[in-house]
C-alpha cells in the first residue's frame, strides 16, 4: 500500500464511497491525509458523572467531560415544528445524568442500552442551576461486554474532522485512522517519501513527513492538546514549513531566471538626468520618496528587467515616482504605460500627469469608453507608431487593439485590484519591459512574501509635509446628530465633506436595514443645508465628472457618494467624512476611504475628522472598527485585516496569484514563512546534489522540467 494509491485502496472504501470522495477532490490516500483535523479532544482522563448536588465536577464547566457510562431510556423527542432531539440517561454505576443530542436523529436507532460507551462533551446544568446534562457529546462504543468498561483507561487525544463533500466527519475520522494504520503496517515507519533535506530538518528540529502526518491524525498520548489545537505542534510546523518552502523555491527560481534574462532596451539616465527630472516638480520630494526613487533608478540602470512593488499609504506620493520614471523612459526614447483599475482613477491620473509633465512628454488616455490624447490625433495609431510617450488607461491597455511600438516601462496602480494574469498581460505588450507595481492598500508582510515574492519591495513610510493626521471616531445611529454638527463646523470654515453610503438603493433582508444613498441622501442634504452632489457607480461618466469637478472647485461642499470615491479622488479642501453602515466595510476599505480627507495643508479648514457610524455591528465588526479608530497606520491595519478576514478576502476572489495553502496559515505561521524564504535561495543551489533528488521530484511537480539550457541541474522557467 502506497500513500499515492487511489483512495479505493483504503479499508472500507468501495466504489460508491470512493466516488463521493473523488467528487470532493479526494482521489488518493494522500489527499485524505491532507485533510487535517479541525480540532482535537482530550479524552485521556476519564472522569465520573456528578450527583445531583455534586460540586466536584465544576471545573468541567469550562471544558468537556470524558466518562465511561451505560445508556438508559434512549428515545427520540419531538418539539415544535417537528424538530427533534435524542435523549437518554447515562449511568456510570455511581450517578445518573441526562444526555441530549441535537440534529442526530439516527442515534435513536443506533444506540444500545446497557452497553458501555465512551462519552465526551460539555457538562452543564440545565437552566444554569438545574440538573446536570451532557450536551451533544461524542459517543463511542468501547466493549461488547459490561465487564470491559472497568478496564478502560482512557480515550487518548482524538482528532475531530470536517466533512469531505457528502462524507460525514465521523466516517472521515475512521478512514484516516485506518489509512495511517494500514500504511504503517505495509510500508513501515517511513511510509511516505521524505523530501525535506536532513540539514533543514535538523536546523529547525522538525520531524520526518511520515512521522508528522501520523502525529496529526493519530496523536501520541504525550501530545500537547494546546499545541495541537493551535496548530503549533512540531508535526503541524513540519507540514506548514514544507508547504511554504516549495512555494518559496518556485519564487526563488523565478527571481533567478529574471536576473538571468536581460532586457533589450536601456535608459539614457545618469544622476544628472534624474536631478533634472525632479527639478521639474513644483515641490520637493520627501526623504522616503528620494530613497525609493533611488531604488527605482538602480533597477532601471540594470541589464535585467525591473520587478518592483512600491507600497505606500494613501497620499504618500507613489504616483510622483511613477511619473518621474515615465519621464526618464520618454527621454530614453521608450514608451510607458500606466494601468489603473477604474476609469475614474485612470482619468485622475491622466489629468494630474498632464498638469505635471504635459509640457515634457506626450500623454494619452485609453479606457473602454474613451481614447484621448493630450494634443489630439488618432490615439491608437500614434501609440502603435511610438508617437505617444505615456499611455494611461484601464484594462483597455491589455486589449488586442492597444499596441505599442517600444514599451519599456509598465506601471500598475492599485495592484491588489488586478490579478497576476493582468500584470503579465501588460508586461507581454513589450519585450521584457521594466515593471513597477504600486499599491496604496498596504499588503501584509506574509502576503507580500507569497503573492509578490518575485518582486523587490519598496516601502514609502513618510507622508508629504503638511499632511495632518485624521481623527477617527466610531459611533452608533444615536450619534447621528453630533456627526451632522461636526460636519457643519468644518463646512462653515470653508472645508468640504464626504458622506459615504454602503448602498445605492435599499434592498431586501439585511440590506434593507442599511442606509442607502437614494433614501438617506436627501435627509443628509437637508440637515447640512449646503450645496450637495451625488456620485455613484450607475451614473454616466459625463454626469459623474461634472459633479466631481463642481466638488473640486467648491461649487458644491458635500459629496453624497458610495465607495466609488475610494480611490482617485484628491480634493485638498476635504476635511470631514461620515461613513454610514460602517460595520459592512472591511478594514482596508475603511482606511482607503479615510485617506480621501486631510490631504490639504490649510489649518483654517479645521482638523480632519472621520466619523464611522455603525448600525448593529457584530462582535467581529466591533473589533474591526476599534482597530480602525485606534490607528492610521496602514500597515498595522493591513496585518489586522488579514488576521480577521484571511488572505483570500484581502486580495479578492479575482486575485489569480493567491497561493492556496492547505497546512500553513500566513498570519499564524509567519515565522515559518520567513524561514522558508531564507532557506529557499540556498537550497536552490543544492538541487544538483543527488541527496536532494526527492526534493527535486517534489519541485518538478510544480515547475515542469528542472534542467537548465547549459545541461546543469537547475530550475528552468
Amino acid at each position: 500500500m502506497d500513500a499515492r494509491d487511489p483512495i479505493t485502496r483504503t479499508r472500507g472504501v468501495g466504489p460508491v464511497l470512493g466516488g463521493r470522495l473523488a467528487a470532493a477532490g479526494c482521489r488518493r490516500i494522500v489527499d485524505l491525509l491532507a485533510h487535517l483535523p479541525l480540532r482535537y479532544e482530550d479524552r485521556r482522563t476519564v472522569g465520573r458523572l456528578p450527583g445531583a448536588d455534586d460540586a466536584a465536577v465544576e471545573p468541567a464547566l469550562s471544558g468537556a467531560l470524558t466518562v465511561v457510562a451505560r445508556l438508559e431510556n434512549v428515545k427520540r423527542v419531538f418539539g415544535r415544528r417537528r424538530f427533534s432531539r435524542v435523549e437518554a440517561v447515562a449511568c456510570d454505576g455511581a450517578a445518573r445524568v441526562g444526555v441530549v443530542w441535537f440534529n442526530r436523529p439516527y442515534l435513536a436507532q443506533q444506540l444500545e442500552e446497557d452497553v458501555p460507551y465512551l462519552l465526551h462533551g460539555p457538562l452543564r446544568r440545565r437552566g444554569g442551576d438545574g440538573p446536570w446534562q451532557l450536551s451533544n457529546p461524542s459517543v463511542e462504543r468501547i466493549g461488547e461486554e459490561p465487564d470491559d468498561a472497568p478496564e478502560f483507561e482512557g480515550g487518548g487525544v482524538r482528532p475531530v474532522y470536517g466533512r469531505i463533500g457528502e462524507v460525514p466527519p465521523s466516517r472521515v475520522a475512521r478512514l484516516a485512522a485506518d489509512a495511517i494504520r494500514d500504511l504503517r503496517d505495509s510500508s513501515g515507519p517511513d511510509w511516505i517519501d521524505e523530501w525535506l533535506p536532513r540539514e533543514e530538518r535538523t536546523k529547525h528540529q522538525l520531524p520526518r513527513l511520515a512521522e508528522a502526518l501520523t502525529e496529526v491524525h493519530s496523536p501520541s498520548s504525550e501530545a500537547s492538546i494546546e499545541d495541537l489545537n493551535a496548530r503549533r505542534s512540531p508535526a503541524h510546523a513540519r507540514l506548514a514549513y514544507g508547504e511554504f518552502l516549495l512555494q518559496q523555491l518556485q519564487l526563488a527560481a523565478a527571481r533567478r531566471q529574471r536576473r538571468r534574462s536581460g532586457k533589450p532596451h536601456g535608459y539614457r539616465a545618469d544622476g544628472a538626468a534624474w536631478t533634472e527630472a525632479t527639478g521639474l516638480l513644483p515641490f520637493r520630494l520627501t526623504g522616503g520618496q528620494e530613497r525609493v526613487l533611488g531604488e527605482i533608478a538602480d533597477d532601471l540602470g540594470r541589464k535585467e528587467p525591473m520587478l518592483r512593488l512600491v507600497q505606500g499609504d494613501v497620499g504618500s506620493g507613489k504616483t510622483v515616482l511613477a511619473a518621474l520614471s515615465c519621464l526618464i523612459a520618454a527621454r530614453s526614447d521608450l514608451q510607458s504605460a500606466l494601468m489603473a483599475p477604474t476609469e475614474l482613477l485612470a482619468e485622475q491620473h491622466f489629468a494630474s500627469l498632464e498638469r505635471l509633465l504635459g509640457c515634457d512628454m506626450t500623454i494619452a488616455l485609453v479606457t473602454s469608453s474613451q481614447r484621448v490624447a493630450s494634443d489630439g490625433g488618432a490615439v491608437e495609431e500614434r501609440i502603435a507608431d511610438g508617437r505617444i510617450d505615456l499611455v494611461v488607461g484601464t484594462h483597455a491597455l491589455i486589449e488586442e487593439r492597444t499596441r505599442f511600438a517600444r514599451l519599456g516601462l509598465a506601471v500598475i496602480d492599485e495592484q491588489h485590484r488586478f490579478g497576476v494574469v493582468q500584470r503579465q498581460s501588460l508586461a507581454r505588450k513589450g519585450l521584457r519591459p521594466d515593471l513597477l507595481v504600486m499599491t496604496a492598500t498596504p499588503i501584509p508582510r506574509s502576503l507580500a512574501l507569497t503573492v509578490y515574492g518575485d518582486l523587490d519591495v519598496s516601502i514609502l513610510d513618510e507622508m508629504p509635509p503638511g499632511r495632518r493626521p485624521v481623527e477617527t471616531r466610531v459611533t452608533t445611529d444615536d450619534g447621528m446628530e453630533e456627526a451632522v454638527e461636526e460636519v457643519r463646523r468644518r463646512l462653515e470654515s470653508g472645508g468640504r465633506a464626504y458622506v459615504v453610503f454602503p448602498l445605492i438603493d435599499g434592498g431586501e433582508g439585511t440590506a434593507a436595514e442599511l442606509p442607502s444613498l437614494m433614501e438617506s441622501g436627501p435627509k443628509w442634504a437637508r440637515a447640512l443645508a449646503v450645496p450637495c452632489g451625488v456620485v455613484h457607480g450607475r451614473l454616466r461618466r459625463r454626469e459623474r465628472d461634472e459633479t466631481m469637478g463642481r466638488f473640486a472647485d467648491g461649487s458644491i461642499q458635500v459629496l453624497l457618494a458610495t465607495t466609488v470615491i475610494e480611490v482617485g479622488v484628491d480634493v485638498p479642501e476635504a476635511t470631514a467624512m461620515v461613513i454610514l453602515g460602517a460595520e459592512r466595510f472591511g478594514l482596508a476599505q475603511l482606511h482607503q476611504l479615510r485617506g480621501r480627507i486631510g490631504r490639504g495643508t490649510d489649518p483654517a479648514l479645521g482638523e480632519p475628522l472621520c466619523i464611522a457610524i455603525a448600525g448593529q455591528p457584530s462582535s467581529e465588526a466591533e473589533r474591526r472598527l476599534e482597530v480602525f479608530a485606534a490607528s492610521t497606520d496602514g500597515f498595522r491595519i493591513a496585518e489586522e485585516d488579514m488576521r480577521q478576514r484571511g488572505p483570500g478576502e484581502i486580495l479578492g476572489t479575482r486575485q489569480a496569484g493567491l497561493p492556496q495553502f492547505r497546512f500553513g496559515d500566513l498570519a499564524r505561521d509567519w515565522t515559518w514563512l520567513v524561514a522558508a524564504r531564507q532557506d529557499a535561495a540556498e537550497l536552490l543551489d543544492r538541487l544538483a546534489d543527488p541527496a536532494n533528488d526527492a526534493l527535486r521530484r517534489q519541485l518538478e511537480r510544480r515547475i515542469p522540467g528542472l534542467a537548465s539550457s547549459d545541461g546543469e541541474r537547475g530550475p528552468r522557467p
Side-chain angles (χ1 to χ4, degrees), residues 169-370:
S170 57
R171 192 70 180 274
V172 174
R174 289 198 300 273
L175 293 175
D178 288 344
I180 290 288
R181 183 165 53 251
D182 292 346
L183 284 167
R184 281 189 297 187
D185 290 346
S186 64
S187 304
D190 287 330
W191 47 265
I192 191 170
D193 290 340
E194 177 54 68
W195 54 265
L196 185 61
R198 182 190 300 272
E199 184 175 334
E200 276 63 40
R201 292 203 316 273
T202 302
K203 178 168 67 173
H204 299 299
Q205 298 182 326
L206 295 172
R208 298 177 65 83
L209 182 56
E211 190 181 335
L213 284 170
T214 300
E215 183 68 11
V216 297
H217 290 289
S218 300
S220 62
S221 58
E222 297 82 19
S224 164
I225 193 72
E226 292 79 12
D227 287 348
L228 286 171
N229 278 321
R231 293 205 173 193
R232 290 197 172 93
S233 70
H236 285 97
R238 163 65 177 86
L239 299 177
Y241 170 79
E243 188 173 37
F244 288 150
L245 182 64
L246 288 175
Q247 195 257 355
Q248 290 298 315
L249 280 167
Q250 284 182 273
L251 292 173
R255 286 195 300 271
R256 180 166 297 185
Q257 179 61 29
R258 174 171 57 87
R259 297 189 186 285
R260 287 176 177 173
S261 62
K263 56 188 177 187
H265 58 270
Y267 292 82
R268 296 192 291 272
D270 52 15
W274 285 100
T275 301
E276 180 186 351
T278 55
L280 298 174
L281 301 176
F283 49 81
R284 294 189 60 181
L285 297 178
T286 66
Q289 286 175 312
E290 289 181 348
R291 184 190 71 251
V292 175
L293 189 63
E295 293 168 350
I296 294 172
D298 289 343
D299 286 347
L300 296 181
R302 292 195 176 100
K303 294 180 179 179
E304 62 271 6
M306 171 176 68
L307 270 177
R308 182 165 293 277
L309 168 67
V310 176
Q311 293 193 70
D313 226 330
V314 176
S316 59
K318 300 176 297 300
T319 307
V320 171
L321 303 183
L324 292 173
S325 303
C326 293
L327 178 60
I328 290 295
R331 293 186 171 181
S332 303
D333 200 29
L334 296 170
Q335 291 176 293
S336 302
L338 192 159
M339 186 165 70
T342 66
E343 286 199 7
L344 178 61
L345 184 54
E347 291 161 8
Q348 291 276 341
H349 279 319
F350 174 67
S352 61
L353 289 170
E354 193 177 23
R355 263 193 322 270
L356 193 64
L357 298 172
C359 296
D360 300 279
M361 60 195 302
T362 57
I363 307 174
L365 174 67
V366 174
T367 67
S368 298
S369 62
Q370 63 175 332

Side-chain angles (χ1 to χ4, degrees), residues 33 40 97 110 116 118 188 235 260 275 278 297 316 336 351 358 406 413 421 470 479 522 530 581 607 656 678 708:
L33 300 182
Y40 297 84
V97 302
Q110 293 182 358
L118 180 72
R260 287 176 177 173
T275 301
T278 55
S316 59
S336 302
R406 50 185 185 282
D413 194 19
V421 173
V470 178
V530 296
E607 292 301 315
Q678 293 171 344
S708 60

